[in-house]
Amino acid sequence: MSVARPGRTRKTAPKAVKKTVSGKRSARNGAPADRHRTDLLAAMVRIRRFEERCVELYSAAKIRGFVHLYIGEEAVAVGVSEALAPEDGVVSTYREHGHALARGLTTESVMAEMYGRTTGCSGGRGGSMHLFDASRRFYGGNAIVAGGLPLAAGLALADRMRGRTRVTCCFFGDGAFAEGEFHETANLAALWKLPLLFVCENNLYAMGTSLGRHEAQTDLALRAASYGMVAWAVDGMDVEAVEQAARRATEGIRAGGGPAFLELRTYRFRAHSMYDPDRYRDKAEVEQWKERDPINGIMARMREDGELDDADLARIEQRITDEIDRAVAAAEQAPEEPAENLLRHVTSAATRAVS
């Protein structure tokens, strides 16, 4: 299966983005192109290995609750994050481990949160679906489908009213596109020219419902463009294509062009959640998409260009394995919140004193 779809003419569609990575430098850190590709690869491998470890820990009953894996979609989080500045804001979904790690949250803080320990990024109170770190302007995962969109509009409105050049990036899935919150947010963002980047991770399934069964028009970029915002679709399995599209979108937003919409056509290799038996997809379909694995894709291009060999890959893998091992060890040694703190952040200190 391919994400390619029949082309349509829309006034907001940009010209084809050309890949001009070779010989260029990263706009983010000034690193040579080959090093930048290495950074992209390492960031995706970190997310993949982190999630694979979470599967092991969940199976061992060390992680509890709902866990929604990002395996297969790593190119979206990494590519988009490369186009964002530290002062930009990010609002995520319940499938947000990849977004958090790509945004710069430490492996230790995210793993501790998965364990529900006080050293976690949300103090152990959020768990898998509610990662949060204000210091990174990562305004959390959200367990409600489309629930983060109005929050993102509020952050973008505040920045516009204060004359800041920040961008607020909001990740959401194709299932959220059917929710009223998306349409209300899209309308107001376009009307008020908010500095908001809509990133729709279209993995073709809203939980167990395929896109064609819940959307009459499956070209989501075309529908988003009807709100008067720049909108186009991108191969979400190609991290370099995602980064280039996100950079172009954020540049337009910072220039005062109003919101932009990216439909990142991607695919999750695992079920909707760890509880999901995944009986709604053909196994052959999953295997076809795995042939377009975003990690293997950039590795193949790097090998072809002489930027990666087996020794390089082994070093990346070992560094990330050691990092995750340390995170797991730290999480298992970290304290749980004492029972007497149950009302902390829930009621005021005065109320707790009276009770």
Side-chain angles (χ1 to χ4, degrees):
M1 177 178 288
S2 169
V3 293
R5 299 179 184 176
R8 292 179 173 86
T9 301
R10 59 176 77 104
K11 66 180 181 180
T12 54
K15 295 179 180 178
V17 180
K18 296 180 180 179
K19 293 185 180 180
T20 55
V21 176
S22 180
K24 301 294 184 182
R25 292 182 177 271
S26 165
R28 182 182 232 190
N29 54 25
D34 56 350
R35 177 51 190 263
H36 183 55
R37 274 179 159 180
T38 300
D39 291 343
L40 294 175
L41 172 61
M44 289 195 292
V45 171
R46 176 177 290 105
I47 295 170
R48 179 72 59 89
R49 300 297 173 253
F50 178 92
E51 300 238 294
E52 290 171 344
R53 184 65 64 87
C54 286
V55 172
E56 297 174 10
L57 296 169
Y58 189 92
S59 300
K62 293 188 175 182
I63 291 176
R64 305 294 182 92
F66 285 95
V67 175
H68 303 81
L69 299 173
Y70 201 66
I71 293 173
E73 301 184 25
E74 295 90 350
V76 174
V78 172
V80 171
S81 294
E82 284 295 314
L84 300 176
E87 63 270 17
D88 293 334
V90 176
V91 179
S92 187
T93 70
Y94 49 74
R95 195 184 306 279
E96 89 278 35
H97 311 151
H99 305 147
L101 293 172
R103 183 60 179 168
L105 275 69
T106 67
T107 308
E108 286 195 8
S109 72
V110 177
M111 185 62 77
E113 191 60 39
M114 300 293 288
Y115 269 75
R117 302 303 170 91
T118 57
T119 53
C121 57
S122 300
R125 293 190 166 214
S128 172
M129 294 193 287
H130 298 95
L131 306 179
F132 185 95
D133 189 340
S135 69
R136 298 282 182 178
R137 298 205 78 219
F138 185 79
Y139 296 116
N142 198 307
I144 305 301
V145 174
L149 283 153
L151 171 62
L155 291 167
L157 177 61
D159 286 336
R160 199 205 69 178
M161 293 178 70
R162 294 177 180 179
R164 296 166 174 162
T165 56
R166 293 172 173 174
V167 170
T168 297
C169 170
C170 186
F171 292 95
F172 57 99
D174 54 285
F177 202 95
E179 297 290 331
E181 290 95 328
F182 167 74
H183 298 282
E184 293 166 351
T185 301
N187 180 61
L188 288 178
L191 183 65
W192 295 341
K193 287 192 173 296
L194 299 184
L196 180 54
L197 176 61
F198 293 89
V199 178
C200 180
E201 297 179 311
N202 182 5
N203 60 27
L204 304 181
Y205 289 91
M207 296 184 68
T209 305
S210 65
L211 182 66
R213 292 179 66 87
H214 71 84
E215 293 292 337
Q217 170 56 267
T218 58
D219 189 329
L220 303 185
L222 182 66
R223 291 184 62 194
S226 70
Y227 284 102
M229 70 176 81
V230 173
W232 68 95
V234 182
D235 181 357
M237 306 301 274
D238 182 338
V239 66
E240 293 177 287
V242 172
E243 179 186 359
Q244 291 163 358
R247 286 193 185 281
R248 184 168 184 174
T250 54
E251 287 170 3
I253 294 171
R254 293 187 206 283
F261 179 98
L262 296 180
E263 178 191 348
L264 281 301
R265 294 172 177 173
T266 184
Y267 199 83
R268 54 175 166 80
F269 295 164
R270 302 287 300 229
H272 169 71
S273 73
M274 291 294 294
Y275 284 108
D276 179 13
D278 200 12
R279 294 173 181 166
Y280 46 84
R281 302 190 299 184
D282 190 330
K283 291 182 179 179
E285 175 186 297
V286 178
E287 292 305 313
Q288 282 183 310
W289 276 92
K290 285 183 178 180
E291 293 176 4
R292 301 188 56 229
D293 188 314
I295 294 176
N296 291 342
I298 193 170
M299 283 173 51
R301 294 193 295 273
M302 291 175 68
R303 288 183 183 277
E304 183 179 352
D305 293 341
E307 298 174 3
L308 181 75
D309 58 27
D310 290 343
D312 297 327
L313 182 59
R315 282 191 291 270
I316 292 172
E317 290 279 8
Q318 189 60 57
R319 184 175 75 248
I320 290 170
T321 297
D322 293 344
E323 178 184 330
I324 295 174
D325 286 345
R326 290 192 299 269
V328 172
E332 295 192 341
Q333 294 299 316
E336 296 180 347
E337 189 168 26
E340 55 267 26
N341 282 357
L342 283 177
L343 295 181
R344 186 167 174 257
H345 304 307
V346 177
T347 60
S348 69
T351 302
R352 292 198 299 273
V354 171
S355 62

